[in-house]
């Protein structure tokens, strides 16, 4: 079964957030986006990151 692109993005974003938190690093939408490997100017990914952070990302 193929993974839907948004599911992949969400999984990678949550991984990036958890990794940065575990390392004691600060969180910003831009830093999370880069750490997850999505480049620097993707509005769709930025929106997902904001939604996940507002939900508590768990």
């Amino acid at each position: 079964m193929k993974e839907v692109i948004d599911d992949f993005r969400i999984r990678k974003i949550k991984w990036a957030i958890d990794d940065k938190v575990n390392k004691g690093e600060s969180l910003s939408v831009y830093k999370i986006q880069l750490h997850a490997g999505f480049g620097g100017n993707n509005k769709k990914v930025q929106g997902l990151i904001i939604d996940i952070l507002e939900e508590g990302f768990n």
Side-chain angles (χ1 to χ4, degrees):
M1 186 167 116
K2 275 189 166 178
E3 186 174 28
V4 183
I5 190 68
D6 277 349
D7 292 341
F8 169 75
R9 289 173 172 161
I10 290 167
R11 183 171 54 81
K12 288 285 291 185
I13 290 165
K14 288 182 176 183
W15 167 83
I17 292 169
D18 286 337
D19 193 49
K20 290 187 100 32
V21 167
N22 289 336
K23 291 178 179 175
E25 298 177 7
S26 63
L27 298 177
S28 73
V29 172
Y30 182 73
K31 288 180 182 180
I32 294 165
Q33 185 171 347
L34 291 181
H35 193 59
F38 292 119
N41 195 20
N42 186 324
K43 298 295 182 191
K44 174 73 173 173
V45 171
Q46 290 169 357
L48 287 171
I49 293 169
I50 291 167
D51 290 345
I52 291 167
L53 288 173
E54 287 176 351
E55 292 172 0
F57 68 86
N58 289 318

